[in-house]
Amino acid sequence: MASALLALLLLTALAGPLLLRLRRDPAFVTGRDGRLSTSTALALAWTVILVWLLLATLGFGLTAGGGADWFQGGHGPLSPLTTVYLPLLGGPYVAMIAAKTVVGLRVENGSMAKPAAKSTPSGRRPLRELIANDSGRTDLVDLQYVVLSAVTMLYVVLFFLSDVGAGLPRLPSEIWALTGAPAGAYLVNKMAVRPNPVITDVTVDEGRLTVKGGGFTPPDPSRPGPAAPALTVNGSPLPADPDPTTGTLTAPLPPTATPPFTVVVTTRGLRSDPYEYKA
């Protein structure tokens, strides 16, 4: 019981300052668009847990475990490290590196729209971005990646606290699939997503509607399809005026369009997620 309490205090000492740092400035777990990165956040979480397991095991071995001899042998406290825990950590890191590469290449060649994130009054990023797409709607693939990873982390933490003296919990080697498979689905989703236009913000000023986001105009005018985006409010088309400097769309707002109303942008036959504007 005492060893479990000490291990829990060590986890708090490791994770507490990191969470406070992320709350003030989450820059190193955000993507290039300024949103929280699901793959980076999960890779960081697994790193913290593995470091905690190793430090807690080291502390127990040097105090109650009997010293260096406790770590020896094929069934020592660190024996599951290469068969279970490194694969658990590997999936999220492969997903993080590969996703950054894929997204960067797709943004560069114009097959994905990644507009800058909408600023928040507090300057902090909402945790919901971990399970949402760029439009703010819940993404099922991101959701399953976060949920299954969180459940796996809970397994590891609770089994370790139940018997700190046994070293790293001897979980089934197949448990890596709970992070590897969701990480693979997450990566495939990044590769397969279509270059839909993305609405990040809508404002109304003196009867004119301004729509902010990305992917409103084709990156290559030589590509087939209409060059001008179509803008609708509650299903009614409006004459959209794209601004190439700011990347926004503006249009006169009909007097009949009173908040709340839904804005949709269509480009090259691809439709954005509906954006509900509330005054």
Side-chain angles (χ1 to χ4, degrees):
M1 184 64 182
S3 58
L5 181 58
L6 291 174
L8 194 57
L9 290 175
L10 176 61
L11 179 60
T12 303
L14 287 173
L18 181 61
L19 292 175
L20 290 176
R21 169 70 171 78
L22 291 176
R23 181 176 175 83
R24 291 194 301 268
D25 182 15
F28 69 94
V29 291
T30 59
R32 291 192 298 178
D33 56 2
R35 297 177 181 85
L36 292 178
S37 169
T38 303
S39 58
T40 303
L42 290 180
L44 175 62
W46 274 114
T47 301
V48 171
I49 287 179
L50 184 57
V51 169
W52 167 64
L53 290 172
L54 295 175
L55 288 178
T57 302
L58 176 63
F60 184 90
L62 295 180
T63 54
D69 292 340
W70 183 65
F71 293 91
Q72 304 300 319
H75 298 284
L78 300 182
S79 58
L81 185 61
T82 57
T83 57
V84 177
Y85 292 92
L86 292 185
L88 272 179
L89 188 65
Y93 266 93
V94 169
M96 179 188 70
I97 296 170
K100 288 182 181 296
T101 302
V102 168
V103 170
L105 291 174
R106 295 198 61 189
V107 170
E108 184 177 347
N109 64 29
S111 62
M112 176 182 284
K114 292 292 287 184
K118 181 181 178 181
S119 60
T120 59
S122 64
R124 300 167 184 157
R125 305 310 310 170
L127 288 176
R128 192 177 184 280
E129 289 182 344
L130 294 175
I131 60 169
N133 60 20
D134 293 342
S135 298
R137 303 185 73 183
T138 300
D139 188 301
L140 181 60
V141 176
D142 288 6
L143 177 63
Q144 60 87 30
Y145 187 22
V146 171
V147 170
L148 288 178
S149 296
V151 170
T152 309
M153 292 177 197
L154 186 62
Y155 264 79
V156 172
V157 170
L158 292 182
F159 272 98
F160 181 69
L161 291 176
S162 67
D163 190 2
V164 175
L168 301 183
R170 284 162 173 73
L171 302 173
S173 58
E174 293 82 4
I175 200 171
W176 71 267
L178 287 178
T179 59
Y186 174 84
L187 179 57
V188 170
N189 185 51
K190 293 294 183 185
M191 299 171 62
V193 66
R194 299 187 300 171
N196 293 58
V198 176
I199 300 175
T200 57
D201 194 21
V202 173
T203 58
V204 176
D205 184 25
E206 296 182 353
R208 286 197 68 81
L209 181 74
T210 301
V211 181
K212 299 178 182 179
F216 295 155
T217 56
D220 183 359
S222 65
R223 291 184 180 181
L231 174 64
T232 63
V233 172
N234 287 340
S236 301
L238 299 181
D241 181 19
D243 185 339
T245 305
T246 61
T248 61
L249 298 178
T250 59
L253 187 66
T256 55
T258 57
F261 54 76
T262 302
V263 180
V264 173
V265 175
T266 304
T267 305
R268 304 182 305 277
L270 299 175
R271 184 174 181 267
S272 71
D273 286 334
Y275 187 100
E276 186 178 15
Y277 172 79
K278 300 177 181 179

